[in-house]
Amino acid sequence: MGIDPGLTRCGLSVVKTGRGRSLKPVAVGVARTPSGAPLTERLLTLSDAVGEWMDDYEPDVVAIERVFERGEVSTVMHTAHAVGVLVLAAARRGLEVHMYTPSEVKKAITGNGRADKAQMTSMITRILGLGEAPKPADAADALALAVCHAWRAPFLAATGGPDNPAATPAQRRLAEARQKAKRTPNAWKTAQRTIPARGGGPR
Amino acid sequence: MGIDPGLTRCGLSVVKTGRGRSLKPVAVGVARTPSGAPLTERLLTLSDAVGEWMDDYEPDVVAIERVFERGEVSTVMHTAHAVGVLVLAAARRGLEVHMYTPSEVKKAITGNGRADKAQMTSMITRILGLGEAPKPADAADALALAVCHAWRAPFLAATGGPDNPAATPAQRRLAEARQKAKRTPNAWKTAQRTIPARGGGPR
């Protein structure tokens, strides 16, 4: 599962890994919260939305964009608050979380850490064999994060990186919690759905 | 309830309002998470700790320090993630959250927005009639936030500020949720406990 974190718009996506580098899109959407509502309500709405996705799609792992101190202060802080809530939703379900910077994602997808939006969208559309480019940008970014992790995970595992389930006691505990939390392990209930499967989508 | 947010150390406090500006300390402590643990585990631990405090003490309202982009980037981001989780814990229990900047807290307690640590600690000790200065700093800061809100709340209500329960439909919904979430409304089960009542405390 790939998440482009945000409080006003949060991109959510699920992809399924196949043989080698092959990937199938499962779902993509955007969770929105009204910018005029109190922070309490907005975080509650976001938490419920991402929790529902996690329960519906039962991902193996969650990839989230790492937030930097760039741009307008209150937007950055709101996004960082959202990340806390998103990571907590994963933790409650025993899911591992991996964070990637925007340039790591760009490099993984296009080979160039400074690729522009158009290049990224075009690559994501091709990699996932989509009929049309994913919209809005948050949805496309969420797919890019999922693809980035799927392609980097085998490398990380081979080098004993954070993806190795036996790497640390903490990760073993997480893996155990995950097994407990999963009602139907490895069941990709919705693998046949086409994009956009639910939530946001183009508007 | 006053919260000095943090991931490594999070100050927690509860005070009870009396007549006029009189206040009684109810509890103070610090929730800690190990800096070497994965973010998932740390946020889970913090969420459970603050949730337990909220369930035990059933506060009417929560005051949290507003995070700014100051200091080391990853610390600021960790604190901002923690705030997301803390606000969510309040929201799940239908509690209103108010945020105050450090200088607002200092001004409310000492009359001076640039008061130093020693002045703040001395005032908090006197205001709450404590036998000794609260330690560590995070615990003292949490008490200062609770006092700041308790003293500012009547003013905010009088001016139709965010404390007025009828101010907006969103706040009415929160108040309703709060009534539903509370098992024993307005019961300060632990009002007689003395400081340090539980959790951290001076070490």
Side-chain angles (χ1 to χ4, degrees):
Chain A
M1 181 169 188
I3 303 182
D4 181 35
L7 198 53
T8 304
R9 286 184 310 278
C10 179
L12 302 167
S13 78
V14 179
V15 304
K16 184 174 161 53
T17 54
R19 287 207 188 158
R21 283 164 68 91
S22 79
L23 291 169
K24 272 191 184 171
V26 174
V28 67
V30 176
R32 295 162 198 264
T33 76
S35 59
L39 185 60
T40 39
E41 283 202 5
R42 299 182 76 185
L43 291 177
L44 203 52
T45 302
L46 179 64
S47 176
D48 289 345
V50 74
E52 209 179 289
W53 271 68
M54 288 171 175
D55 292 339
D56 282 357
Y57 295 107
E58 296 182 332
D60 289 311
V61 61
V62 178
I64 303 186
E65 189 174 296
R66 191 181 293 281
V67 188
F68 281 106
E69 291 187 286
R70 228 183 277 156
E72 213 249 303
V73 180
S74 76
T75 307
V76 171
M77 284 299 145
H78 275 167
T79 303
H81 297 341
V83 169
V85 161
L86 296 164
V87 171
L88 181 69
R92 287 240 174 270
R93 289 159 181 84
L95 300 173
E96 261 184 56
V97 171
H98 294 262
M99 292 199 177
Y100 297 100
T101 63
S103 66
E104 283 176 316
V105 177
K106 286 174 182 173
K107 184 125 200 255
I109 306 292
T110 68
N112 170 14
R114 296 170 176 225
D116 62 19
K117 283 261 172 220
Q119 278 175 282
M120 286 290 288
T121 303
S122 140
M123 279 302 290
I124 283 295
T125 308
R126 212 159 67 190
I127 291 163
L128 295 173
L130 304 176
E132 55 181 35
K135 281 179 207 167
D138 313 84
D141 289 346
L143 284 169
L145 275 149
V147 172
C148 168
H149 180 75
W151 282 357
R152 287 179 56 127
F155 170 75
L156 291 171
T159 56
D163 241 69
N164 188 338
T168 68
Q171 285 174 329
R172 266 197 296 279
R173 283 199 297 278
L174 261 185
E176 282 162 20
R178 187 180 137 214
Q179 282 307 321
K180 264 210 264 181
K182 274 201 166 185
R183 289 164 306 181
T184 50
N186 305 319
W188 284 80
K189 292 187 297 186
T190 52
Q192 285 75 32
R193 287 201 207 171
T194 49
I195 286 179
R198 45 163 297 172
R203 278 185 199 178
Chain B
M1 178 170 191
I3 304 182
D4 180 36
L7 198 52
T8 304
R9 286 185 310 279
C10 179
L12 302 168
S13 78
V14 179
V15 305
K16 183 171 161 56
T17 55
R19 285 208 188 157
R21 282 164 70 90
S22 79
L23 291 169
K24 273 191 184 170
V26 175
V28 66
V30 176
R32 294 161 199 265
T33 75
S35 60
L39 185 61
T40 39
E41 283 201 7
R42 300 182 76 184
L43 291 176
L44 203 51
T45 302
L46 179 64
S47 176
D48 289 346
V50 74
E52 209 180 289
W53 271 68
M54 288 171 176
D55 292 340
D56 282 356
Y57 295 106
E58 297 182 330
D60 288 314
V61 61
V62 178
I64 303 186
E65 188 175 297
R66 191 180 292 282
V67 188
F68 281 107
E69 291 186 286
R70 229 183 276 156
E72 214 247 305
V73 181
S74 76
T75 307
V76 172
M77 284 298 146
H78 276 167
T79 303
H81 297 341
V83 169
V85 162
L86 296 164
V87 172
L88 181 69
R92 288 240 174 270
R93 289 159 179 85
L95 299 173
E96 260 183 57
V97 172
H98 294 262
M99 292 199 176
Y100 297 100
T101 64
S103 67
E104 282 175 317
V105 177
K106 287 174 181 173
K107 183 126 200 256
I109 306 294
T110 69
N112 171 12
R114 294 170 176 225
D116 63 19
K117 284 258 173 223
Q119 278 175 279
M120 285 290 286
T121 304
S122 140
M123 280 301 290
I124 283 296
T125 308
R126 212 159 65 190
I127 290 163
L128 295 173
L130 304 176
E132 55 180 33
K135 281 179 204 166
D138 313 85
D141 289 345
L143 284 169
L145 275 149
V147 172
C148 168
H149 180 75
W151 282 358
R152 286 180 55 127
F155 171 74
L156 291 171
T159 55
D163 242 68
N164 188 338
T168 69
Q171 284 173 329
R172 266 197 296 279
R173 283 198 297 278
L174 261 184
E176 283 162 18
R178 188 180 136 215
Q179 282 308 322
K180 265 210 263 178
K182 275 203 168 183
R183 289 161 308 179
T184 52
N186 305 319
W188 285 80
K189 292 187 297 186
T190 52
Q192 284 75 32
R193 285 199 210 175
T194 50
I195 286 179
R198 44 162 298 170
R203 281 184 198 179

